[in-house]
Amino acid sequence: MSTTDPPRTLAWRGDARTGGLELLDQTRLPLEVARLDCRTAEQVREAIVRLSVRGAPAIGVAAAYGLVLGLQPFADADRAQFDSAVARVCGRMATSRPTAVNLFWALERMRRIAAA
């Protein structure tokens, strides 16, 4: 990234089983460019709650990645455990910004993918 490029709002680092989400902390702008390293769904949820993630598309994408983080411990679980984790993590992520349409759209899309 050159010095004239805007900072990336979010980026996945690593693979699906062990990776994490790097978020631009938008509460620190414009004076400082700071990043949040999220390794759990709860960290992503809290970033959305405290407005570190702003903008409808970014909120939806962050919530979808939050679901991935929440499901990492269940990668080798049986189907019932996995489905239960999907429901639980989606429910928790949904409480982060109850009026964010893109958040619910993204979670529903991820729910359908997880069910397939």
Side-chain angles (χ1 to χ4, degrees), residues 24-30 32 47 50-54:
L24 174 65
D25 185 349
Q26 295 185 32
T27 64
R28 311 280 286 276
L29 295 174
E32 181 183 356
R50 71 174 176 269
L51 303 176
S52 294
V53 180
R54 296 180 187 167

Side-chain angles (χ1 to χ4, degrees), residues 28-108:
R28 311 280 286 276
L29 295 174
L31 301 177
E32 181 183 356
V33 174
R35 307 235 175 255
L36 301 171
D37 182 28
C38 299
R39 295 293 175 164
T40 68
E42 193 59 28
Q43 289 172 327
V44 175
R45 183 191 172 282
E46 287 302 316
I48 294 170
V49 167
R50 71 174 176 269
L51 303 176
S52 294
V53 180
R54 296 180 187 167
I59 291 167
V61 173
Y65 278 127
L67 178 61
V68 172
L69 288 170
L71 296 177
Q72 283 176 336
F74 300 93
D76 296 320
D78 66 37
R79 189 70 210 192
Q81 290 174 321
F82 183 81
D83 289 344
S84 176
V86 169
R88 187 176 64 257
V89 176
C90 280
R92 185 73 177 136
M93 293 302 296
T95 67
S96 64
R97 193 84 54 89
T99 60
V101 173
N102 284 47
L103 180 141
F104 288 93
W105 176 86
L107 290 175
E108 184 54 35

